Amino acid sequence: MDSGNIMDLYAMYLFRPGSSPVDWCEGNYLISSNIAEFVNTFSNFLFILLPPILIMLFKEYGRFVTPGIHLLWVLLIVVGLSSMYFHATLSLLGQLLDELAILWVFIAAFSLFYPKRYYPKFVRNSRKIFSWLMLFAAIVATALCWWKPIVNAFVLMLMGVPTMAMLYTELQRVRDQRVYRLGLRATTVWAVAVFCWINDRMFCEAWSAINFPYLHGFWHIFIFIAAYTVLVLFAYFYVESELPQRQPLLKYWPKNEFEFGIPFISIRNPDTNDWRFYCGLFMQDFDDKQNISAIQQLKIM
């Protein structure tokens, strides 16, 4: 058999329904003959519906801090669509697309908002170098995803642990009690999401015995709420630590007084004269003299 035929067979295997080694607790094709896991498929609705609203709410942030924030919201949509495709078909391709989309959300978020105080020394406090390092790590991890697909989900789950540990550390530094309370709620929702994931994966027989094999669907709902909330929090931490002159403010939509609405970051000091300068600082490092000189020129303007 030549290599061309082997590649054709592998491509057919990738797309074939049921080719994924992962099968969640929900019974297959019970509600629809065309959708393998009906509840797990459509429980991704928040990944599709909420990001366009977040893009609108973070329009000011994207203009005066970094437009990269919108990439995160678009990637969440990709996660939702990939997850829907995976659970609808249980194909290996669907599984890999789902997991790779999640991986790239992690990588993009780390590149944008990972606090410089945690950088390794060889990065020399450069976000540009750190971003290239994250890109290299993402490429390597993308290749490894094809090696042992059965372990990918567990690796991605483990990536959430240091992220939440870093969130806890950052919350100890924050002075705004609104931000602190949001961090506590995000941590609680993340813990509930992990509970759902573990129980669906490890204790399927027990939940099936009481006719409730749908915890993975609840995982989708809770993990989206936790994920986008954590992204909002780190977007706040980034401005507070690296662009304090922007004066970030946590708000809620549609009613700011209601803390269970959709959180977003407002910029209290959006100086239109220098926003491009500070966006440039995000990806390019300047020495202290250059920073002082550029800021003095802006003040003269």
Side-chain angles (χ1 to χ4, degrees):
M1 184 179 292
D2 59 37
S3 59
N5 290 334
I6 294 175
M7 292 302 295
D8 290 341
L9 289 174
Y10 185 67
M12 291 175 60
Y13 177 72
L14 276 177
F15 284 94
R16 182 169 61 82
S19 56
S20 169
V22 178
D23 190 5
W24 298 95
C25 194
E26 181 184 358
N28 299 337
Y29 301 103
L30 296 181
I31 298 177
S32 170
S33 59
N34 298 313
I35 299 174
E37 297 175 347
F38 190 89
V39 173
N40 287 349
T41 298
F42 289 100
S43 58
N44 287 286
F45 66 96
L46 286 179
F47 285 90
I48 312 300
L49 298 180
L50 263 293
I53 297 176
L54 292 168
I55 291 173
M56 176 192 69
L57 294 175
F58 276 82
K59 185 177 181 181
E60 183 182 69
Y61 190 100
R63 180 182 179 189
F64 296 112
V65 180
T66 171
I69 188 71
H70 299 311
L71 173 63
L72 297 177
W73 311 137
V74 172
L75 284 174
L76 287 181
I77 296 176
V78 175
V79 170
L81 293 174
S82 300
S83 182
M84 291 182 72
Y85 173 64
F86 167 50
H87 289 290
T89 63
L90 292 180
S91 65
L92 179 58
L93 178 64
Q95 177 197 337
L96 293 174
L97 289 175
D98 183 17
E99 292 163 349
L100 288 174
I102 297 170
L103 170 67
W104 282 87
V105 169
F106 272 108
I107 296 301
F110 286 166
S111 298
L112 286 170
F113 299 135
Y114 196 88
K116 286 186 175 181
R117 68 180 67 91
Y118 304 125
Y119 280 8
K121 290 183 179 180
F122 68 87
V123 173
R124 301 194 302 274
N125 212 37
S126 168
R127 188 168 295 277
K128 184 176 182 179
I129 294 176
F130 184 77
S131 297
W132 280 109
L133 180 65
M134 287 292 97
L135 178 61
F136 175 76
I139 293 172
V140 173
T142 298
L144 291 176
C145 277
W146 299 79
W147 179 47
K148 289 286 185 180
I150 192 68
V151 304
N152 293 345
F154 294 94
V155 173
L156 290 172
M157 281 294 298
L158 289 175
M159 289 180 68
V161 176
T163 302
M164 299 308 293
M166 187 164 55
L167 173 64
Y168 173 80
T169 303
E170 291 299 301
L171 287 175
Q172 306 312 303
R173 305 165 59 91
V174 78
R175 290 170 292 180
D176 189 329
Q177 288 303 303
R178 266 190 139 196
V179 176
Y180 185 79
R181 290 193 296 270
L182 180 62
L184 293 181
R185 291 197 296 273
T187 304
T188 301
V189 174
W190 175 78
V192 173
V194 171
F195 171 85
C196 292
W197 191 92
I198 292 175
N199 274 267
D200 189 273
R201 192 80 180 124
M202 304 294 187
F203 306 106
C204 177
E205 290 186 5
W207 289 96
S208 296
I210 60 174
N211 296 317
F212 197 79
Y214 305 117
L215 284 180
H216 193 75
F218 282 91
W219 148 263
H220 288 155
I221 296 171
F222 288 126
I223 199 58
F224 174 83
I225 296 172
Y228 95 83
T229 304
V230 169
L231 290 175
V232 170
L233 287 164
F234 276 99
Y236 176 90
F237 299 147
Y238 170 74
V239 181
E240 189 181 50
S241 62
E242 298 191 29
L243 298 171
Q245 73 282 353
R246 285 285 172 265
Q247 300 178 21
L249 180 66
L250 175 64
K251 289 186 175 181
Y252 292 89
W253 184 86
K255 190 173 182 179
N256 190 37
E257 293 74 20
F258 182 65
E259 292 196 9
F260 289 91
I262 299 176
F264 68 100
I265 306 303
S266 175
I267 304 300
R268 284 181 285 187
N269 185 30
D271 188 349
T272 56
N273 289 325
D274 65 344
W275 75 272
R276 291 183 184 276
F277 171 77
Y278 285 108
C279 281
L281 284 182
F282 179 79
M283 293 301 296
Q284 184 176 3
D285 298 309
F286 297 90
D287 59 35
D288 292 337
K289 291 182 179 179
Q290 287 174 314
N291 285 338
I292 294 172
S293 175
I295 293 172
Q296 286 176 343
Q297 290 178 3
L298 289 170
K299 288 182 177 178
I300 294 173
M301 293 172 61

